[in-house]
C-alpha cells in the first residue's frame, strides 16, 4: 500500500552537502495517492499527512524516531524514495530522524507549482511550464 503512496512522487534529487532528497510530484498514472480526497488539488496538509503515514510505517519499534536500520523501509516505499539519503532527513545529524524532521520537510512540488502561495496546487497552476520562480525565502516556509 505504501508503494502506491510513493507513486505520487517524482524522482529524487539532491545536493552533495545534504545528500539525496525526495522530490514529490503527482503521479502521471492517475493514482494521485497523496491527494487524500482525490480532488486534484495538492495541499501542504495532504503532503504532511502522507509523510506521517510513511513515518509510522517505517518506525517499526515505535520509539518515535527512525534509525538507519529502519530507513530502508522509506526507500522501499516507492521509486521516489529509492535513493533518499538518511542525512537529508536527519537535519541535526544526530543519527536519528524524528517525526518532525521527516513530516515537516516541505514539498518541493508545492514549492514549485504553488504560484499564489496558498499551500495548494490546483490543476490550473500545474498547466504549462512552470516559469514562475519562488523567491529563495519561500523555500524556508513551514507547512
Amino acid at each position: 500500500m505504501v508503494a502506491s503512496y510513493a507513486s505520487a512522487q517524482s524522482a529524487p534529487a539532491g545536493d552533495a552537502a545534504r545528500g539525496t532528497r525526495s522530490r514529490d510530484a503527482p503521479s502521471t498514472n492517475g493514482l494521485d495517492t497523496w491527494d487524500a480526497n482525490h480532488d486534484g488539488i495538492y495541499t501542504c496538509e495532504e503532503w504532511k499527512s502522507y509523510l506521517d503515514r510513511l513515518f509510522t510505517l517505517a518506525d517499526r519499534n515505535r520509539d518515535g524516531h527512525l534509525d538507519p536500520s529502519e530507513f530502508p523501509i522509506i526507500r522501499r516505499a516507492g521509486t521516489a524514495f529509492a535513493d533518499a539519503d538518511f542525512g537529508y532527513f536527519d537535519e541535526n545529524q544526530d543519527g536519528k530522524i524524528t517525526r518532525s524532521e521527516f513530516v515537516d520537510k516541505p514539498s518541493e512540488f508545492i514549492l514549485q507549482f504553488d504560484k499564489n502561495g496558498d499551500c495548494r496546487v490546483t490543476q490550473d497552476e500545474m498547466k504549462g511550464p512552470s516559469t514562475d520562480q519562488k523567491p529563495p525565502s519561500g523555500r524556508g516556509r513551514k507547512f
Side-chain angles (χ1 to χ4, degrees):
M1 184 153 115
V2 172
S4 65
Y5 290 135
S7 70
Q9 309 298 302
S10 69
D15 59 55
R18 299 293 293 157
T20 303
R21 61 184 173 201
S22 173
R23 214 175 251 253
D24 51 295
S27 68
T28 57
N29 63 9
L31 301 174
D32 300 323
T33 55
W34 70 268
D35 176 16
N37 61 1
H38 305 289
D39 64 355
I41 298 172
Y42 302 88
T43 70
C44 295
E45 286 306 312
E46 288 172 323
W47 173 245
K48 288 176 77 166
S49 178
Y50 163 71
L51 291 182
D52 188 63
R53 290 188 307 269
L54 188 54
F55 184 93
T56 298
L57 177 73
D59 185 15
R60 295 287 204 185
N61 61 5
R62 303 295 182 244
D63 63 356
H65 69 267
L66 303 179
D67 59 47
S69 71
E70 294 168 312
F71 197 72
I73 296 167
I74 299 295
R75 287 188 173 155
R76 288 191 301 265
T79 57
F81 292 104
D83 295 324
D85 183 71
F86 186 90
Y88 171 72
F89 291 98
D90 184 14
E91 289 183 2
N92 62 3
Q93 302 298 299
D94 65 353
K96 59 186 176 183
I97 300 169
T98 65
R99 184 176 298 272
S100 176
E101 284 175 316
F102 191 74
V103 172
D104 290 340
K105 280 293 182 196
S107 164
E108 293 288 329
F109 170 75
I110 290 177
L111 290 172
Q112 179 181 357
F113 289 100
D114 181 18
K115 293 180 171 88
N116 64 3
D118 65 354
C119 247
R120 296 166 36 96
V121 175
T122 64
Q123 295 297 316
D124 286 341
E125 288 174 309
M126 287 187 286
K127 288 180 183 172
S130 179
T131 57
D132 295 344
Q133 295 294 318
K134 293 236 179 245
S137 61
R139 294 203 172 270
R141 70 180 170 177
K142 288 283 187 177
F143 296 100

